[in-house]
Structures are given as C-alpha cells and as structure tokens.
Amino acid sequence: MTHLPRAPRAALAAVILAVALSGCASDPSALEQPTAERLQTGVRAVATSAAAGDYTSAQSALGALQADLLAASAAGEVTGERSARIQSAINLVGADLNAAIEAAKPAPVLTQTPTPTPTKDSKPGKGNDEDDDDKKGNGKDD
C-alpha cells in the first residue's frame, strides 16, 4: 500500500470535505446557496493551509468551518442529513490533521551524560574517604 506524505493527505482530506459540500447541487434544499458559499470558503482555507504544511492553521480553519456548520444547522440553513455528512468529512479531515501535526513533531533528542574520568586523587574502587588511612595499617588507633 502506498502512503502519501502528510501534507498531500491532509489536502486530499480537505478535498473530500469540499466534495461533501458540493453534493448539495443535487438537492438545493439541503443547503442554502449563501451557506454553501461560506462553507466552501472555509474548506478552501483548510485545504490551502494543509497543502502548505501549516497544519495548525488548517486545524484552526477547520474549527471555524465546524462552528459555521453548527450555526447554519441551528438556523435551518442546512438539513440534518446534509449536516451529518459534512460533519463526517470534517471529522475525517480533523483526524488527518491531528496525525500530520503529531508526525511533524520533532523526535526527542537523547543526550548521554559523560562518564567522569578518574583523577589522581580518586581511583576506581579505592574511594576518597579520610577513613581509608585507617585501613592502610598506618598504626593510628582511635
């Protein structure tokens, strides 16, 4: 299976959304013309941003588009069935944009802490305690 890079996939998803909106030509009563034009403008904003790889702007434009759809639906400018189809397309585009945003995040950089190099005064396994003198048998009694 061939996978498209994120920008074309997000733009393709926006095109799917545009197709969902354009289907109203077969039933003009499903979506009023001024509402259709306003929603199409929103779709173009999403597609343009997604195609440019600006997923955050595309996501903001998609949020505005969804708000417009909800307002149009509440005002009776779009039928419930038509609104549900457009919402499904918005959900698809949103999921694709979220995936593109996640994929665009830089991978965390792992850094290694350098191992300290021993000095003259500290040798591995010997320690650097003052009590070491007592263990050398120097004859000191406490």
Side-chain angles (χ1 to χ4, degrees):
M1 179 179 193
T2 304
H3 293 292
L4 293 173
R6 292 290 178 200
R9 284 184 60 204
L12 178 62
V15 169
I16 291 168
L17 180 57
V19 169
L21 284 170
S22 66
C24 67
S26 62
D27 183 9
S29 65
L31 183 62
E32 292 183 6
Q33 187 60 34
T35 304
E37 290 171 3
R38 187 174 68 245
L39 294 175
Q40 287 288 355
T41 298
V43 169
R44 281 191 293 276
V46 172
T48 300
S49 295
D54 187 355
Y55 307 123
T56 304
S57 292
Q59 202 170 39
S60 294
L62 189 64
L65 179 64
Q66 184 170 25
D68 282 347
L69 176 62
L70 292 173
S73 184
E77 299 169 358
V78 59
T79 64
E81 180 184 336
R82 189 78 183 140
S83 179
R85 286 192 304 196
I86 295 169
Q87 184 60 57
S88 291
I90 287 173
N91 293 345
L92 174 68
V93 174
D96 205 27
L97 288 172
N98 286 335
I101 288 169
E102 284 300 313
K105 287 182 180 177
V109 178
L110 300 176
T111 57
Q112 293 182 344
T113 305
T115 305
T117 49
T119 62
K120 277 188 195 178
D121 297 333
S122 68
K123 295 183 180 163
K126 295 278 184 171
N128 209 8
D129 297 346
E130 292 178 20
D131 293 340
D132 284 347
D133 289 338
D134 292 339
K135 295 177 185 170
K136 291 181 183 175
N138 61 5
K140 292 184 183 176
D141 289 357
D142 286 357

